[in-house]
Amino acid sequence: MTKLNPESMIKAQDLTKYFGSFAAVRNVSFSIPRGQVAAFLGPNGAGKSTTLRILTGYLTPTRGTASIAGWDVSSHRIEAAAQIGYLPENGPLYPEMTPLELLRFFGEARGLPKLKLKERIEAVVEQCSLDAVLEKSIYKLSKGYRQRLGMAQVLLHEPAILIMDEPTSGLDPNQIRDVRELIRQLGQTKTVLLSTHILQEVQAVADHVILIHEGRIAFDGTPGEMAGGQRLEEAFYRLTSEDSHAKSPPVEEPPHVADNHNGFRQKTDGLSQQEGSCRKEVEE
């Protein structure tokens, strides 16, 4: 069994995903080393969520490979999933449960032994500051507490890698500050990939920036390198403006579309030959 270098905790290599003839992501490649907080930045509809779903095994790429802690996600999905804590935007919670019941449910579903589960629940409740609402129904919680509960759930099995999709979306300024502080703390011991379109998020928590635009990687480096002496807002506009479109390589067709076109050309070529034969017979 061949593994990639585990120091590259998250690795995408030429990831491409088509939905019909629409290319959501095209030839996306990047690598995130151990112990880094990386911001996955881009405008709405740029391909961020699609890429995250491929990395976590929820979607299969049309072509390319994704690996998590050295495990190929397509061929070793269970091993890769064991290394990931995935928090999707508006992650699923059961509103009729309490946070304590929810954490027990997910811990048992993951097969954690009773004593270990008790220890882990105590640890994540403290880490995510959930003591005050532990016995309260989830539907009564503020969005900030629901987001903290989502984080507690993904931390329960002690994953090496955290993947979060828009973790501060819809929160008020105080809640945003709390969530960002938690992400900074987690980044000290884990590898974090944080999807966002909020530039303040990048400045607040990220060591590394990957910018995706129209399904392609437009930048991969540090926040300082991205800014290049400008404000991040200006750099973002420069990298995602219409002026940059002219520099983009042409869009290739998905294999099945190209095959259909070739078949169509062969058929039309055959019709042209038949038409030529008919004309020759009439002339004669």
Side-chain angles (χ1 to χ4, degrees):
M1 183 186 304
T2 303
K3 290 186 183 180
L4 298 172
N5 181 357
E7 289 304 312
S8 295
M9 296 298 283
I10 302 173
K11 186 164 186 175
Q13 185 67 45
D14 296 325
L15 288 181
T16 297
K17 179 64 180 178
Y18 281 97
F19 295 98
S21 60
F22 172 69
V25 295
R26 307 185 199 107
N27 303 316
V28 166
S29 297
F30 60 82
S31 178
I32 303 171
R34 189 186 304 273
Q36 199 174 74
V37 178
F40 195 36
L41 185 65
N44 288 330
K48 300 188 299 296
S49 293
T50 298
T51 304
L52 296 191
R53 287 171 186 151
I54 293 172
L55 288 173
T56 53
Y58 284 79
L59 282 177
T60 302
T62 304
R63 60 173 175 267
T65 58
S67 68
I68 295 293
W71 295 104
D72 185 297
V73 175
S74 295
S75 58
H76 295 90
R77 187 169 185 265
I78 300 300
E79 293 86 348
Q83 303 296 324
I84 299 173
Y86 177 40
L87 183 64
E89 187 177 6
N90 302 316
L93 299 173
Y94 297 105
E96 69 282 0
M97 287 185 173
T98 66
L100 182 58
E101 290 168 343
L102 184 90
L103 292 172
R104 282 176 180 159
F105 171 76
F106 278 111
E108 289 168 1
R110 284 190 172 275
L112 294 178
K114 269 190 176 180
L115 284 177
K116 180 67 173 176
L117 177 55
K118 184 175 182 294
E119 290 174 6
R120 289 303 303 148
I121 288 175
E122 290 173 356
V124 298
V125 164
E126 181 180 355
Q127 193 170 19
C128 299
S129 303
L130 290 169
D131 297 271
V133 298
L134 206 52
E135 302 284 356
K136 198 172 183 178
S137 295
I138 291 170
Y139 76 86
K140 296 180 180 178
L141 302 184
S142 68
K143 183 158 186 180
Y145 270 118
R146 290 199 300 271
Q147 199 72 339
R148 289 188 200 182
L149 178 56
M151 286 197 181
Q153 185 266 121
V154 301
L155 290 168
L156 201 56
H157 62 295
E158 299 183 275
I161 296 165
L162 297 175
I163 296 179
M164 304 179 185
D165 194 358
E166 306 283 359
T168 61
S169 175
L171 302 186
D172 69 34
N174 288 332
Q175 294 166 343
I176 289 172
R177 181 180 176 181
D178 291 343
V179 170
R180 287 177 182 171
E181 179 57 35
L182 179 56
I183 291 169
R184 278 192 291 266
Q185 291 172 7
L186 294 170
Q188 295 173 10
T189 57
K190 301 182 182 300
T191 301
V192 180
L193 178 59
L194 168 75
S195 167
T196 185
H197 62 272
I198 303 170
L199 296 173
Q200 293 92 329
E201 205 107 278
V202 176
Q203 295 169 315
V205 301
D207 312 305
H208 181 181
V209 181
I210 301 160
L211 174 62
I212 188 169
H213 178 49
E214 295 188 340
R216 297 183 186 274
I217 298 299
F219 176 82
D220 187 350
T222 67
E225 289 168 345
M226 176 179 162
Q230 301 175 304
R231 292 184 301 118
L232 271 181
E233 290 86 351
E234 294 169 342
F236 182 88
Y237 178 76
R238 170 172 48 82
L239 291 164
T240 60
S241 68
E242 292 187 6
D243 291 343
S244 67
H245 295 182
K247 300 176 184 178
S248 298
V251 178
E252 75 269 20
E253 293 175 326
H256 66 278
V257 172
D259 290 344
N260 288 343
H261 284 186
N262 289 336
F264 178 75
R265 291 186 191 110
Q266 289 171 1
K267 288 177 182 178
T268 53
D269 288 346
L271 288 172
S272 297
Q273 290 172 3
Q274 290 176 14
E275 183 183 0
S277 299
C278 291
R279 283 177 180 167
K280 186 175 180 183
E281 288 174 5
V282 170
E283 288 169 356
E284 290 174 348

